């Protein structure tokens, strides 16, 4: 977990940028909340946490329950596949701020066909029209040349102003130089080595979304490049 501490701090910083003051948080993909900020969660009257793992709820309560109880925040943990039942879940919690916690970047592993996975991600984005929502997810992942433990400094968060590169732009081959430069700079910070896996989330956020890029050294020699952004209805 020590490797993850800088990532957790960067995530906590990003979470404070939430776009609105709402009483309810709908947290999809809550897992055990290892990288979630208790301070952020305590800012809501109620947190509804969804995950398919039967161990997620007790671990989430163990990690955040005491702080939530002290702040008067009600925690409701539900076991279920909120992604496959997203329309129903959103209808049930119409007033909640929606946050996808490191789950949308995993969709490509649930669909063997890349196009199918991309269409699935696009359908989730369409489903969220008219809602305040946010997501932190894998954009890319791969090996690094220098193990994180040997570095004097861990990679820092970079904030990329829109427009930023998208999967669609990559396919069309029309990326602009500033966009390429922003991605190259962060890749250089990560000391990326070899081929990295594209998690197909490049088109998730609507154009104009402010996106934060966060390094997550999952292992000493393998890093995930996280994207995080908040979306407001237009």
């Amino acid at each position: 977990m020590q490797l993850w501490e800088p990532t957790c701090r960067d995530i906590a910083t990003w979470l404070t940028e939430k776009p609105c003051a709402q009483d309810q948080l709908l947290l999809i993909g809550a897992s055990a909340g290892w990288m979630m900020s208790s301070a952020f969660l305590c800012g809501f009257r109620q947190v509804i946490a969804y995950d398919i793992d039967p161990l997620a709820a007790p671990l989430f309560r163990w990690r955040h329950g005491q702080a939530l109880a002290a702040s008067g925040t009600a925690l409701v943990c539900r076991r279920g596949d909120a992604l496959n039942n997203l329309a129903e879940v959103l209808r049930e919690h119409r007033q909640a701020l929606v946050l996808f916690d490191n789950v949308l970047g995993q969709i490509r592993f649930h669909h063997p066909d890349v196009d199918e996975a991309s269409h699935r991600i696009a359908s989730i984005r369409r489903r969220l029209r008219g809602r305040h929502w946010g997501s932190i997810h894998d954009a890319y992942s791969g090996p690094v040349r220098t193990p994180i433990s040997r570095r004097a400094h861990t990679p820092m968060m970079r904030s990329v102003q829109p427009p930023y590169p998208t999967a669609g732009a990559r396919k069309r081959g029309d990326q602009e130089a500033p966009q390429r430069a922003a991605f190259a700079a962060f890749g250089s910070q990560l000391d990326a080595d070899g081929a990295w896996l594209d998690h197909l989330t490049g088109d998730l956020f609507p154009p104009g979304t402010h996106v934060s890029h966060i390094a997550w050294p999952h292992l000493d020699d393998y890093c995930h490049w996280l994207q995080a952004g908040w979306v407001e209805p237009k």
Side-chain angles (χ1 to χ4, degrees):
M1 293 298 293
Q2 186 176 359
L3 277 175
W4 298 8
E5 287 179 4
T7 305
C8 292
R9 288 196 296 269
D10 281 345
I11 292 174
T13 298
W14 168 73
L15 287 169
T16 65
E17 300 171 3
K18 65 183 177 70
C20 59
Q22 287 178 270
D23 288 337
Q24 284 187 328
L25 175 68
L26 175 59
L27 185 60
I28 297 177
S31 186
W34 296 118
M35 302 172 79
M36 185 56 56
S37 162
S38 290
F40 168 74
L41 297 172
C42 290
F44 297 89
R45 178 178 56 81
Q46 184 183 48
V47 174
I48 306 103
Y50 273 87
D51 202 278
I52 60 174
D53 187 346
L55 296 178
L59 289 173
F60 194 94
R61 290 184 184 279
W62 171 77
R63 185 165 181 82
H64 298 289
Q66 185 174 356
L68 292 173
S71 69
T73 300
L75 174 61
V76 179
C77 293
R78 296 187 175 177
R79 182 184 175 191
D81 190 340
L83 287 183
N84 280 332
N85 299 289
L86 187 58
E88 178 182 344
V89 171
L90 291 177
R91 281 195 300 269
E92 184 178 354
H93 307 288
R94 294 180 184 275
Q95 303 304 316
L97 174 66
V98 184
L99 175 58
F100 297 89
D101 183 14
N102 205 19
V103 65
L104 297 182
Q106 308 309 309
I107 288 177
R108 72 156 298 157
F109 300 113
H110 302 160
H111 301 278
D113 181 77
V114 169
D115 288 336
E116 183 182 353
S118 296
H119 290 320
R120 176 74 176 119
I121 293 171
S123 72
I124 291 173
R125 170 180 156 179
R126 291 193 297 270
R127 182 72 68 183
L128 290 161
R129 286 174 182 165
R131 296 293 297 257
H132 285 93
W133 65 278
S135 177
I136 182 164
H137 51 259
D138 292 316
Y140 300 92
S141 59
V144 294
R145 293 184 184 88
T146 307
I148 303 298
S149 61
R150 297 182 189 174
R151 301 186 190 188
H153 303 285
T154 55
M156 300 296 291
M157 178 172 69
R158 285 184 61 92
S159 185
V160 179
Q161 298 284 348
Y164 60 94
T166 67
R170 290 195 299 274
K171 291 175 184 176
R172 294 190 301 272
D174 60 357
Q175 286 178 301
E176 298 177 1
Q179 297 170 332
R180 291 197 303 269
F183 268 62
F186 197 59
S188 176
Q189 268 200 335
L190 296 179
D191 199 20
D193 184 29
W196 275 44
L197 178 69
D198 186 344
H199 288 255
L200 308 178
T201 52
D203 283 331
L204 174 65
F205 293 125
T209 303
H210 185 282
V211 179
S212 293
H213 289 183
I214 301 173
W216 175 24
H218 189 257
L219 300 172
D220 199 24
D221 59 354
Y222 195 92
C223 197
H224 288 239
W225 173 345
L226 304 179
Q227 285 182 339
W230 292 109
V231 178
E232 299 185 62
K234 296 182 179 180

